[in-house]
């Protein structure tokens, strides 16, 4: 009886041990984590922090300039800045793919967001 019980324990341990050894490789599916990371990265980039460090302003000369919730064209647009409107600069950030973006507020309103500096013909001089 002792031998039978010992064999049963060894057999169970072997099966469990083998199952535990397989578990990490089964969960490490190639490419699975690589696909999840960009979504998280994009979410973080669209909620980029800013502060009001710059006292500069500029008139918008282009039409259809959108201001966004974050410093990427993939971030949601909040609206358009009318041509000729003045924007107050808060600060800027540099993105990996899209260059520099300034956080601005449209004069005479509470509307604010991120605008790509090339659309403004320049941007804030203070880093966020």
């Amino acid at each position: 009886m002792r031998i039978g019980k010992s064999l049963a324990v060894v057999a169970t341990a072997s099966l469990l041990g083998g199952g535990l050894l397989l578990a990490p490789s089964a969960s490490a599916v190639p490419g699975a984590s690589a696909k999840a990371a960009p979504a998280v990265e994009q979410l973080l980039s669209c909620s980029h922090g800013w502060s009001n460090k710059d006292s500069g302003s500029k008139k918008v000369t282009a039409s259809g300039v959108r201001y966004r919730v974050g410093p990427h064209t993939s971030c949601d647009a909040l609206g358009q800045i009318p041509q000729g409107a003045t924007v107050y600069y808060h600060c800027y950030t540099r993105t990996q793919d899209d260059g520099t973006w300034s956080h601005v507020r449209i004069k005479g309103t509470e509307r604010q967001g991120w605008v790509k500096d090339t659309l403004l013909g320049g941007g804030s001089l203070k880093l966020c």
Side-chain angles (χ1 to χ4, degrees):
M1 177 104 153
R2 282 185 164 243
I3 294 173
K5 192 173 185 181
S6 296
L7 287 176
V9 170
V10 169
T12 303
S14 297
L15 288 174
L16 287 176
L20 290 175
L21 290 175
L22 291 176
S25 62
S27 66
V29 177
S33 62
K35 290 181 182 177
V40 172
E41 186 178 311
Q42 181 181 355
L43 176 62
L44 294 175
S45 66
C46 287
S47 60
H48 190 79
W50 64 273
S51 60
N52 192 358
K53 296 179 177 181
D54 198 338
S55 60
S57 65
K58 181 163 185 121
K59 282 201 182 279
V60 175
T61 58
S63 62
V65 174
R66 291 192 171 114
Y67 60 103
R68 300 179 178 275
V69 297
H72 283 286
T73 54
S74 60
C75 298
D76 290 337
L78 297 168
Q80 291 187 351
I81 303 171
Q83 187 173 9
T86 298
V87 293
Y88 296 116
Y89 296 132
H90 292 154
C91 61
Y92 79 92
T93 190
R94 183 176 315 277
T95 64
Q96 242 180 356
D97 302 329
D98 293 332
T100 58
W101 290 68
S102 290
H103 194 274
V104 301
R105 182 178 61 83
I106 303 169
K107 181 180 179 182
T109 72
E110 294 298 318
R111 295 180 294 160
Q112 57 189 1
W114 292 95
V115 178
K116 188 167 173 65
D117 286 346
T118 57
L119 298 175
L120 296 172
S124 175
L125 299 176
K126 304 288 184 174
L127 185 61
C128 291

